[in-house]
Amino acid sequence: MAPNQRLAALSDVERQELNAWLVDFGQQWSADVLPERARRLPPTSSWRLPALCEMVKIDLERQWGLGNRLSLETYLQEYPELGNPSDVSADLIQAEYEVRKQFGAAADLEDYARRFPAQIDEFRRLIASGQSSLSLRAKSPSTTNSATQRRAHADTVQQLPQQFGRYRILHRLGAGGMGSVYLAEDTRLKRKVALKVAHISGSESRQVLERFYREAEAAAALDHLSLCKVYDVDEVDGVHYLTMEFIEGTTLADFVGDRKDRPQRQMAAIVGKLALALQEAHVRGV
């Protein structure tokens, strides 16, 4: 059974578990994280193989984004349960084909017929269907919307090379409506920073770019213990970014999500810190 068919066979609970696993893998991804995450997959889970297949797709796409042009055969050697060149799912073959096209590499169907002759007919059918293998991230219809799809597309477009100007990209921390945030090392000043890249595309590009620089200017004007410092805003090869102080710890979203377990006094202290930060912004006229 192909990985996408296995996804369709999962129950709602199993799909939610798989979604959570893949979201966490995507957020914590780095160039060497796949082996460790693959070892942690529940050995008897019904979603183990679908998860491994989707993790390989994510890893393949992002490795190419870093300039590491891995082939599907590399993953088959490392993870035998995916199959071998004679029986690997056409869905995974399609993923490699789409990644090669995405990054401007040769993607010759005759080459795929030579490498995977047993699956070539199914592979051609998948391509002809127009459905992308890379778009399958085990999302259920109830949790997928157009805004999420736009953010996922923008994140793929803005996948940064390992060396981005003076910054060495370590891994992606997360993404929002306006941009993606990466953990990076400032090679000049020898410190870790949070590097935010603007999501800019289509007819909204000018408005988004103007808002991005307004945000950077406003944040740089603030000086408060409860606010991250902004270090720099600029562009590299047409990609606009800002860098901020990197602070390790739980995000506010995670903190609020666990509020049922938080004492009211602790919640009040957090609200107080936010109020002081907002007061600082108001005093400076931001």
Side-chain angles (χ1 to χ4, degrees):
M1 186 183 297
N4 53 345
Q5 293 174 322
R6 291 179 183 274
L7 290 176
L10 296 177
S11 68
D12 289 342
V13 173
E14 292 168 335
R15 187 179 291 272
Q16 290 173 5
E17 292 174 347
L18 174 57
N19 284 343
W21 182 277
L22 294 177
V23 168
D24 182 67
F25 175 73
Q27 291 177 344
Q28 302 299 324
W29 185 88
S30 64
D32 57 358
V33 76
L34 179 59
E36 184 269 334
R37 287 303 180 99
R39 287 193 295 270
R40 287 170 50 189
L41 282 169
T44 60
S45 172
S46 58
W47 51 264
R48 174 185 170 84
L49 184 56
L52 180 58
C53 290
E54 294 303 308
M55 289 163 62
V56 164
K57 293 178 187 179
I58 295 170
D59 189 78
L60 179 65
E61 187 176 21
R62 297 194 181 182
Q63 292 285 1
W64 274 68
L66 294 179
N68 302 324
R69 301 200 163 194
L70 303 182
S71 68
L72 178 56
E73 287 88 345
T74 302
Y75 293 96
L76 299 184
Q77 292 176 3
E78 185 69 26
Y79 307 103
E81 65 189 287
L82 294 175
N84 55 60
S86 65
D87 61 10
V88 65
S89 169
D91 184 67
L92 283 173
I93 301 172
Q94 182 191 10
E96 192 214 81
Y97 173 81
E98 292 177 349
V99 167
R100 293 180 69 89
K101 291 188 66 177
Q102 177 182 328
F103 290 96
D108 186 7
L109 291 181
E110 292 185 3
D111 178 57
Y112 281 93
R114 177 187 57 80
R115 293 164 59 196
F116 309 102
Q119 302 94 323
I120 190 61
D121 290 339
E122 176 65 11
F123 171 56
R124 290 179 185 273
R125 188 192 66 78
L126 289 174
I127 294 176
S129 72
Q131 182 178 7
S132 171
S133 174
L134 296 176
S135 67
L136 295 175
R137 290 293 183 264
K139 296 290 186 181
S140 64
S142 61
T143 60
T144 301
N145 54 48
S146 58
T148 300
Q149 291 171 344
R150 287 195 299 270
R151 287 195 295 271
H153 174 71
D155 183 58
T156 297
V157 172
Q158 296 291 350
Q159 182 68 41
L160 297 183
Q162 189 168 18
Q163 192 63 43
F164 179 71
R166 63 192 258 195
Y167 301 98
R168 184 170 67 89
I169 303 301
L170 303 177
H171 62 81
R172 189 171 69 89
L173 295 171
M178 274 196 66
S180 295
V181 181
Y182 296 82
L183 175 61
E185 179 186 3
D186 185 334
T187 58
R188 184 176 300 167
L189 298 179
K190 307 300 182 185
R191 64 182 176 187
K192 289 183 178 180
V193 298
L195 187 148
K196 182 175 182 179
V197 177
H199 289 169
I200 302 174
S201 63
S203 60
E204 302 174 345
S205 58
R206 174 178 292 183
Q207 295 93 326
V208 172
L209 187 58
E210 290 176 352
R211 180 182 171 190
F212 182 78
Y213 277 90
R214 284 200 305 270
E215 175 188 294
E217 183 179 355
L222 300 177
D223 183 15
H224 193 278
L225 291 176
S226 297
L227 299 173
C228 289
K229 295 180 176 64
V230 170
Y231 295 141
D232 187 23
V233 61
D234 206 341
E235 61 93 13
V236 173
D237 297 330
V239 177
H240 299 267
Y241 72 92
L242 67 84
T243 57
M244 300 169 285
E245 179 183 8
F246 173 66
I247 302 175
E248 295 191 56
T250 302
T251 67
L252 180 61
D254 289 339
F255 184 91
V256 172
D258 294 337
R259 62 185 180 276
K260 293 180 180 179
D261 301 326
R262 304 287 184 180
Q264 290 186 354
R265 180 174 295 180
Q266 187 178 20
M267 296 295 291
I270 294 295
V271 172
K273 289 183 179 180
L274 292 175
L276 288 174
L278 290 173
Q279 181 182 31
E280 174 70 17
H282 177 72
V283 168
R284 290 180 177 268
V286 176

